[in-house]
Coordinates of all heavy atoms in Angstrom, one line a residue:
E1 N 34.5 2.3 -41.1 CA 35.3 2.3 -39.8 C 35.0 3.5 -39.0 O 34.9 4.6 -39.5 CB 36.9 2.3 -40.3 CG 37.8 2.4 -39.1 CD 39.2 2.5 -39.5 OE1 39.5 2.4 -40.7 OE2 40.1 2.8 -38.6
L2 N 34.8 3.2 -37.7 CA 34.6 4.3 -36.8 C 35.9 4.8 -36.2 O 36.7 3.9 -35.7 CB 33.6 3.9 -35.6 CG 32.2 3.5 -36.0 CD1 31.4 3.1 -34.8 CD2 31.5 4.7 -36.7
R3 N 36.2 6.1 -36.3 CA 37.5 6.7 -35.8 C 37.3 7.7 -34.8 O 36.1 8.4 -34.8 CB 38.2 7.3 -37.1 CG 38.6 6.3 -38.0 CD 39.5 6.8 -39.2 NE 39.9 5.8 -40.1 CZ 40.7 6.0 -41.1 NH1 41.2 7.3 -41.4 NH2 41.1 5.0 -41.9
D4 N 38.2 8.0 -33.9 CA 38.1 9.0 -32.9 C 38.0 10.4 -33.5 O 38.6 10.8 -34.4 CB 39.3 8.9 -32.0 CG 39.4 10.0 -30.9 OD1 38.3 10.0 -30.2 OD2 40.2 10.8 -30.8
A5 N 37.0 11.1 -32.9 CA 36.7 12.5 -33.3 C 36.8 13.5 -32.2 O 36.2 14.5 -32.3 CB 35.4 12.5 -34.0
S6 N 37.4 13.0 -31.1 CA 37.4 13.9 -29.9 C 38.1 15.2 -30.2 O 37.7 16.3 -29.7 CB 38.2 13.2 -28.8 OG 37.5 12.1 -28.4
H7 N 39.2 15.2 -31.0 CA 39.8 16.4 -31.4 C 39.1 17.3 -32.4 O 39.4 18.5 -32.6 CB 41.2 16.1 -32.0 CG 41.1 15.2 -33.3 ND1 40.4 14.0 -33.4 CD2 41.6 15.4 -34.6 CE1 40.5 13.6 -34.5 NE2 41.2 14.3 -35.3
L8 N 38.0 16.8 -32.9 CA 37.1 17.6 -33.9 C 36.0 18.2 -33.2 O 35.3 19.1 -33.6 CB 36.6 16.7 -35.0 CG 37.6 15.9 -35.8 CD1 36.9 14.9 -36.8 CD2 38.6 16.8 -36.5
W9 N 35.6 17.6 -31.9 CA 34.4 18.1 -31.2 C 34.6 19.6 -30.8 O 35.7 19.9 -30.3 CB 34.1 17.3 -30.0 CG 32.7 17.2 -29.6 CD1 32.2 17.9 -28.6 CD2 31.6 16.6 -30.3 NE1 30.8 17.5 -28.5 CE2 30.4 16.8 -29.5 CE3 31.6 15.8 -31.4 CZ2 29.2 16.3 -29.8 CZ3 30.3 15.3 -31.8 CH2 29.1 15.5 -31.0
G10 N 33.6 20.3 -31.1 CA 33.8 21.8 -30.7 C 34.2 22.6 -31.9 O 34.1 23.9 -31.9
K11 N 34.7 22.0 -33.0 CA 35.2 22.7 -34.1 C 34.1 23.1 -35.0 O 33.0 22.4 -35.1 CB 36.2 21.8 -34.9 CG 37.4 21.4 -34.1 CD 38.3 22.6 -33.7 CE 39.5 22.0 -33.0 NZ 40.4 23.3 -32.5
T12 N 34.2 24.1 -35.8 CA 33.2 24.4 -36.8 C 33.3 23.4 -38.0 O 34.3 22.6 -38.0 CB 33.5 25.8 -37.5 OG1 34.6 25.8 -38.2 CG2 33.5 26.9 -36.3
T13 N 32.3 23.3 -38.8 CA 32.3 22.3 -39.9 C 33.5 22.6 -40.8 O 34.1 21.6 -41.2 CB 31.1 22.5 -40.7 OG1 30.9 23.7 -41.2 CG2 29.8 22.1 -39.9
H14 N 33.9 23.8 -41.1 CA 35.0 24.1 -42.0 C 36.4 23.6 -41.3 O 37.2 23.1 -41.9 CB 35.0 25.6 -42.3 CG 33.8 26.0 -43.1 ND1 33.7 27.2 -43.6 CD2 32.8 25.3 -43.6 CE1 32.6 27.4 -44.3 NE2 31.9 26.2 -44.3
E15 N 36.5 23.9 -40.0 CA 37.7 23.6 -39.3 C 37.8 22.1 -39.2 O 38.9 21.5 -39.5 CB 37.6 24.2 -37.9 CG 37.8 25.7 -37.8 CD 37.5 26.2 -36.4 OE1 36.8 25.4 -35.6 OE2 37.9 27.4 -36.1
A16 N 36.8 21.4 -38.9 CA 36.8 19.9 -38.8 C 37.2 19.3 -40.1 O 38.0 18.3 -40.2 CB 35.5 19.4 -38.3
R17 N 36.6 19.8 -41.2 CA 36.9 19.4 -42.6 C 38.4 19.5 -42.8 O 39.1 18.5 -43.5 CB 36.0 20.0 -43.6 CG 36.0 19.3 -45.0 CD 37.2 19.9 -45.9 NE 36.9 21.4 -46.1 CZ 37.9 22.1 -46.7 NH1 39.1 21.6 -47.0 NH2 37.7 23.4 -46.9
E18 N 39.0 20.7 -42.5 CA 40.4 20.9 -42.9 C 41.4 19.9 -42.1 O 42.2 19.4 -42.6 CB 40.7 22.3 -42.6 CG 40.0 23.3 -43.5 CD 40.2 24.8 -43.1 OE1 40.8 25.0 -41.9 OE2 39.8 25.7 -43.8
I19 N 40.9 19.7 -40.8 CA 41.7 18.8 -40.0 C 41.7 17.3 -40.6 O 42.7 16.7 -40.7 CB 41.2 18.8 -38.6 CG1 41.5 20.2 -37.9 CG2 41.9 17.7 -37.7 CD1 40.8 20.3 -36.6
V20 N 40.5 16.8 -41.0 CA 40.3 15.5 -41.5 C 41.1 15.3 -42.8 O 41.8 14.4 -43.0 CB 38.8 15.1 -41.6 CG1 38.7 13.9 -42.4 CG2 38.2 15.0 -40.2
E21 N 41.0 16.3 -43.7 CA 41.7 16.3 -44.9 C 43.2 16.2 -44.7 O 43.9 15.5 -45.4 CB 41.4 17.6 -45.7 CG 42.1 17.6 -47.1 CD 41.8 18.8 -47.9 OE1 41.3 19.8 -47.4 OE2 42.1 18.7 -49.1
D22 N 43.8 16.9 -43.7 CA 45.2 16.9 -43.4 C 45.5 15.4 -42.8 O 46.7 15.0 -43.2 CB 45.5 17.9 -42.3 CG 45.5 19.3 -42.9 OD1 45.6 19.5 -44.1 OD2 45.5 20.3 -42.1
E23 N 44.7 14.8 -42.2 CA 44.9 13.5 -41.6 C 44.9 12.3 -42.7 O 45.5 11.3 -42.4 CB 44.0 13.3 -40.5 CG 44.2 14.1 -39.3 CD 43.1 13.9 -38.2 OE1 42.1 13.2 -38.5 OE2 43.3 14.4 -37.1
L24 N 44.1 12.6 -43.7 CA 43.8 11.4 -44.6 C 44.6 11.7 -45.9 O 44.9 12.7 -46.3 CB 42.3 11.4 -45.0 CG 41.5 11.1 -43.8 CD1 40.0 11.2 -44.2 CD2 41.7 9.7 -43.2
D25 N 45.0 10.5 -46.6 CA 45.6 10.5 -47.8 C 44.6 10.6 -48.9 O 44.2 9.6 -49.6 CB 46.4 9.2 -48.0 CG 47.2 9.2 -49.3 OD1 47.4 10.3 -49.9 OD2 47.5 8.0 -49.7
G26 N 44.1 11.7 -49.1 CA 43.1 12.0 -50.1 C 42.9 13.5 -50.3 O 43.2 14.4 -49.5
E27 N 42.4 13.9 -51.5 CA 42.3 15.3 -51.9 C 40.9 15.7 -51.8 O 40.0 15.2 -52.5 CB 42.9 15.6 -53.2 CG 43.0 17.1 -53.6 CD 43.5 17.4 -54.9 OE1 44.1 16.4 -55.6 OE2 43.5 18.5 -55.3

């Protein structure tokens, strides 16, 4: 599934990973 990543653009790899983890039901 393709999901919006506009809020991730400009973030570092570590920042983006943390945001996605918070959004998803997974560890």
